[in-house]
Amino acid sequence: MDTGEPAGAVVAAAGGEKRAALLRQITEEGGFAFVASAEKAAAGDLRAAEAAREMAWEQLHSGPWREVEPAWRDAYALACLHVASIRAGDDRRTALRALDMGLIMGGDLLRAELEAAIARVPAYRNGDSNGDTGIDAERWMEGLSRNRDLADVGKNYVCNEWRQDLITFSQFLERMWSPDCSANLTYLAQHPLFDQIKELREDIVVPDYCYAGGGELQSLNAWFGPDGTVTPLHHDPHHNLFAQVLGRKYIRLYNASISEDLYPHMETMLSSTSQVDLDNIDVKEFPRTEGLEFMDCILEEGDLLYIPPKWWHYVRSLSISFSVSFWWRTPILPSEGS
């Protein structure tokens, strides 16, 4: 039906409604100070915009990520939009940084607005009086696409030294190629890289196997890191096709039927991870691991490995490595041991 309104006006109205509904929700969550700052930010107050972003950032770090209220993720994205809108005219780098952080840490509610705002920023560069051309703007945008924030630091996620750093993709590459890389292993592990860099997603073809038996793709993740990175022994809930794109990886598999013999962690968050360190097995502490049957292989570039649901697997990079995992589910899961 033709309403007679310009398409841009309709989109703007829809965006305004989303923001208003979000602010009402944040008010219900007790975020009165955030709402007050966000309203001032919408009128062009930079200090208020940065204050709102800081308040939302604190909420994102108030506890485990899975326990953060989704509304605060959207609130963070809104604050990033405000900061970028005010900064875009005189500090494009800061504006892009704000939008990028909004995409990474924010929710889905305002994602389309964030992406549209990023696409508009090069237009400012085109309009500069220093003679920049459209080609320059395209190269600048291409550079942005390679500079998303990401990464995991440490041997693996169960070691005491493990932590997560929020760094740019270029910083990640610098760490990976640095001489002291082995002492400061940085790993892009199970990361939604293809959501952040859409140009890379265009190079990925989902294998037909993922749709067999009425299958439905659940997630598409990247694994990128140097020699020596480890994913400890664990299992996943979905079917997994693991594709080796670059480099080599060693993988060991244990049948799902022997889960109790692999000593899963008792804590809920690590219940799908084994307490056994396969790089240094303590048979006295974990006697049932001795003599367990397993399968192992080395994945080379171009190899594709199927890992059934609930099957335990351990992964070690043997070189600089880039892998892609395709998780999918079917209406009926295979029984344990099948």
Side-chain angles (χ1 to χ4, degrees):
M1 181 177 68
D2 187 357
T3 62
E5 296 182 73
V10 174
V11 172
E17 291 173 1
K18 285 182 181 179
R19 295 185 183 203
L22 173 60
L23 292 179
R24 287 195 295 271
Q25 189 174 358
I26 292 297
T27 299
E28 293 172 0
E29 296 285 343
F32 303 104
F34 174 88
V35 172
S37 294
E39 290 174 345
K40 292 178 182 178
D45 187 329
L46 178 59
R47 290 184 64 182
E50 292 178 337
R53 183 173 59 170
E54 184 63 27
M55 281 185 269
W57 180 262
E58 290 178 1
Q59 289 295 324
L60 296 185
H61 293 78
S62 60
W65 182 252
R66 68 183 65 188
E67 296 178 10
V68 174
E69 287 293 333
W72 279 109
R73 294 186 63 188
D74 293 324
Y76 181 76
L78 176 60
C80 288
L81 279 166
H82 286 319
V83 170
S85 176
I86 299 168
R87 286 287 195 182
D90 62 355
D91 190 347
R92 291 184 296 273
R93 181 180 295 273
T94 298
L96 285 169
R97 169 75 176 177
L99 294 170
D100 219 22
M101 289 296 295
L103 282 172
I104 295 165
M105 303 295 289
D108 293 331
L109 181 69
L110 302 175
R111 187 173 186 85
E113 288 191 46
L114 288 163
E115 291 178 341
I118 285 179
R120 286 195 300 269
V121 173
Y124 292 110
R125 187 172 177 121
N126 277 344
D128 284 350
S129 58
N130 59 9
D132 285 332
T133 65
I135 294 176
D136 290 331
E138 290 174 5
R139 289 175 179 169
W140 195 51
M141 189 64 180
E142 184 181 2
L144 167 68
S145 296
R146 296 186 184 133
N147 204 37
R148 301 292 185 183
D149 291 279
L150 306 162
D152 293 357
V153 180
K155 177 185 173 183
N156 61 61
Y157 62 79
V158 293
C159 70
N160 293 331
E161 297 78 20
W162 180 84
R163 69 178 190 275
Q164 287 186 311
D165 283 357
L166 196 61
I167 58 176
T168 63
F169 194 60
S170 59
Q171 289 172 326
F172 168 75
L173 293 176
E174 289 172 2
R175 286 191 187 185
M176 194 168 65
W177 288 102
S178 67
D180 64 342
C181 176
S182 59
N184 190 32
L185 285 177
T186 302
Y187 192 22
L188 185 62
Q190 196 173 328
H191 192 84
L193 181 66
F194 308 108
D195 291 338
Q196 294 178 321
I197 305 179
K198 297 186 182 300
E199 292 84 352
L200 289 180
R201 178 64 180 86
E202 295 170 1
D203 292 334
I204 301 295
V205 177
V206 178
D208 290 341
Y209 301 113
C210 298
Y211 304 112
E216 179 181 349
L217 189 68
Q218 295 300 295
S219 65
L220 177 62
N221 290 312
W223 306 76
F224 187 22
D227 178 15
T229 55
V230 169
T231 301
L233 188 63
H234 72 287
H235 66 76
D236 300 312
H238 301 298
H239 297 274
N240 181 9
L241 274 179
F242 195 81
Q244 190 64 20
V245 179
L246 174 72
R248 304 164 69 242
K249 279 185 173 173
Y250 171 80
I251 298 186
R252 180 181 290 193
L253 297 164
Y254 291 89
N255 197 302
S257 63
I258 61 172
S259 291
E260 292 305 313
D261 294 332
L262 294 173
Y263 301 88
H265 279 274
M266 301 304 294
E267 304 96 305
T268 302
M269 289 186 65
L270 290 174
S271 60
S272 61
T273 300
S274 172
Q275 299 179 60
V276 181
D277 180 1
L278 289 189
D279 294 319
N280 186 26
I281 300 177
D282 187 337
V283 179
K284 291 184 178 180
E285 185 175 2
F286 306 112
R288 294 197 304 273
T289 60
E290 190 170 20
L292 288 178
E293 291 187 3
F294 62 84
M295 294 181 285
D296 62 353
C297 65
I298 293 178
L299 287 187
E300 306 280 355
E301 294 178 11
D303 287 344
L304 191 66
L305 176 67
Y306 170 63
I307 303 174
K310 302 293 185 179
W311 274 55
W312 294 81
H313 48 288
Y314 160 94
V315 185
R316 171 181 283 276
S317 296
L318 303 178
S319 66
I320 289 178
S321 173
F322 189 96
S323 314
V324 179
S325 60
F326 302 86
W327 278 12
W328 84 96
R329 66 180 180 185
T330 56
I332 301 175
L333 289 176
S335 59
E336 288 195 1
S338 65

